[in-house]
Amino acid sequence: MKEPQLYAEVAVALPLRNTFHYRIPKHLQEQAAVGKRVRVSFGHQHLLGTLVGMVEHPPLKQLKTIDEILDDQPLLDLQMLELTRWMAEIYQAGWGETLAAALPGPLRRGLKGMRPREEEPLQAPTPNPPLRLTTEQQKALEPVVESIRDCRHAAFLLHGVTGSGKTEVYLQAIQEVLSQDRSSIMLVPEISLTPQTIERFQGRFGRETVAVLHSGMLESRRLQEWQRIRSGEAKVVVGARSAIFAPARNLGLIVIDEEHEPSYKQEDAPRYHAREVAIQRGKLCGAAVLLGSATPSLETYYRATSESSIHLLRLQERIDEVPLPKVQVVDMRQELAAGRRSRIFSRPLEDALAETLKGQQQGILFLNRRGFATLVHCRKCGHVLRCKSCQISLIYHMATKSMLCHSCKVSVSAPEICPQCRSDYVRFQGIGTERVESELARLFPKAAIERMDTDATKVRGSHARILGAFSEHKIDLLVGTQMIAKGLDFPRVTLVGVISADTALNLPDFRSAERTFNLLTQVAGRAGRGRMPGRVIVQTYTPHHYAIQAAKEHDYLSFYRQEIAIRRQLFLPPFARLIRLMVRSPRESRASAAAEQLAAICRQHLAPSIQVVGPAPAAIPRLRRQYRWQLLLKASTLEPLQQGLPEILQQFHRPNGCYLTVDVDPL
Ligand code: ADP
Ligand code: ZN
Ligand code: ZN
């Protein structure tokens, strides 16, 4: 009997929801298989795509043929196809572009046939044998192990203070998966993917078993690691956000450390959240999902306490009962009233720094703003120096004597006179990490001081160099941004100073209290990790804010209760799901008119239970010469929003040069 002729269903790498059908030429029929990349003509272009199905009866008769099939073996299995299709639907992205996002860069761009892997010399792993678990750890691990043994999906939240032994629980759960010859993926925020973290995993499971994936690696190296995972050689994957797509075989467990971190949300299409993708992938392949944090996101903690979809596990004590550091909140208004001139160091912080240095201990100073001065203005005419394409104020960087836009990275030289009135009353205001560093050097000329932020770590390897020097105590005081807030474990650090707790608090975002609480808790966790007790000094102009008070007491629950009440009252996540529609245009009138049009369509077509908020200029109203207007859709579940959107997008007449982006669960 003659075999039926089959046609290829292809998802092209474009922001399109539908797939397209192609004829498979004779010479490619043997090679055609679902999950392989193909090259096809599309309109006037030739595009990459993924073969996602083979059908007998295509919807159209006139079909183009496939140009080329790029792979000998499928790169993506059926579960990956299903996962990406789910993502495309949930996050309103193209299936083809979502499939592309799941592949490493060179394959995404069409690299054919993978080169054999270069052998790297194996370094001697510092061995890291399993520890005997405490009773609390044992209790937390048990249900996870049970779900792994049954090959049954379940999601867990491990809520434990910093230093309570969460990582040890992850390691032993992964061990269980390995003993069944299955694979695990462990996601960590990019910033905490330090040599310290990697060594801990390699030390436990061996270098060959562990694959590392992060954006700082050369692409060729990433591809090698990807192949090692795909071949089944590396069964433990440690990586940042996109490692959620690692081609792990027989996946048994996905761990997401610091699950509350905003870096798990992808900013470009497909705008996915790695936590939600992990849970979906876990469901598809019967894997356990373990989320961990000292400060869980409101969404996750709510699901773990008010719904049954996530099981809550707790670690309430620190290992060895090392006490949490004492946190002192300093009211900067009172400092000012008491005649203190410095707006950088309060009296208590300056004294504590002096004591720390005298006792030959180390200190960390945290400020979430880099540069020297964050506002440069003229005292005569009031002119503020702003970026010409983003309109936000430029930041003065002393090291390069330049003014930098932190949004579009444009840099101009610093003015000596006002560009508007030509007076020389140019004033540099607002504090960044460079300024803190220089003030410290003035106050403590004998101390060894270093700064760690994106400016100071531009050169490859400087990150590791600074941390190395700090761990050998060649540095007394380390100044930095959130780059130093996480994961660092140095026993001689007894003082942590937060220069201003208000920078995060004053952001125009409903998550600003949550961010502030998380950040303060994380930084505070850097102090007193060794035998010497630690102390934390938090400077603020709003000392009574509940986020600051709860962080002072290390009291997550108290913070959660106050914050969740506000979210409920204002109908915000986790009680509401949000979709943000943003229009961008180089002409402001077009952006605002398009947003108005969109809002009118939404109000007309969406169910009355859906709130339409706006339109209004975005939090950054102009970025890279584009004006940005946005609209927020709110509903108690995602379904009515998802159902209504296609109609809305169809009705919307996009003005020339105007772009629309859809962001589901925006952060
Ligand atoms: P977390 O991830 O919650 O911050 P870690 O897993 O890093 O905590 O544990 C903090 C410290 O305690 C680490 O130095 C770790 O080696 C140690 N530790 C963890 N579990 C145990 C245990 N069961 N027995 C002894 N030490 C432990
Ligand atoms: Zn002026
Ligand atoms: Zn700019």
Side-chain angles (χ1 to χ4, degrees), residues 486-500:
K486 284 178 200 78
L488 304 189
D489 192 355
F490 299 107
R492 292 190 77 86
V493 173
T494 53
L495 173 68
V496 165
V498 177
I499 301 295
S500 167

Side-chain angles (χ1 to χ4, degrees), residues 377-384 417-426:
H377 74 137
C378 169
R379 271 209 295 184
K380 192 156 177 217
C381 74
H383 180 69
V384 173
I417 55 167
C418 169
Q420 183 155 298
C421 75
R422 318 207 64 79
S423 80
D424 55 4
Y425 291 129
V426 179

Side-chain angles (χ1 to χ4, degrees), residues 131-134 137 161-168 200 319:
L131 301 170
R132 228 179 78 193
L133 295 184
T134 62
Q137 284 173 316
V161 292
T162 49
S164 59
K166 293 186 292 296
T167 310
E168 188 60 32
R200 205 162 162 191
I319 298 288

Side-chain angles (χ1 to χ4, degrees), residues 175-228:
Q175 185 66 57
E176 176 65 31
V177 176
L178 276 176
S179 75
Q180 296 181 18
D181 211 25
R182 294 162 77 200
S183 310
S184 306
I185 297 175
M186 159 104 182
L187 297 188
V188 298
E190 186 84 51
I191 292 175
S192 47
L193 204 54
T194 57
Q196 264 183 333
T197 314
I198 297 167
E199 268 165 34
R200 205 162 162 191
F201 279 79
Q202 290 176 334
R204 181 68 55 91
F205 304 117
R207 269 182 77 93
E208 321 75 53
T209 309
V210 178
V212 180
L213 294 172
H214 63 84
S215 63
M217 293 163 81
L218 290 176
E219 278 204 330
S220 55
R221 182 91 191 92
R222 266 174 84 112
L223 187 57
Q224 281 176 16
E225 290 294 82
W226 196 83
Q227 278 176 273
R228 288 206 314 125

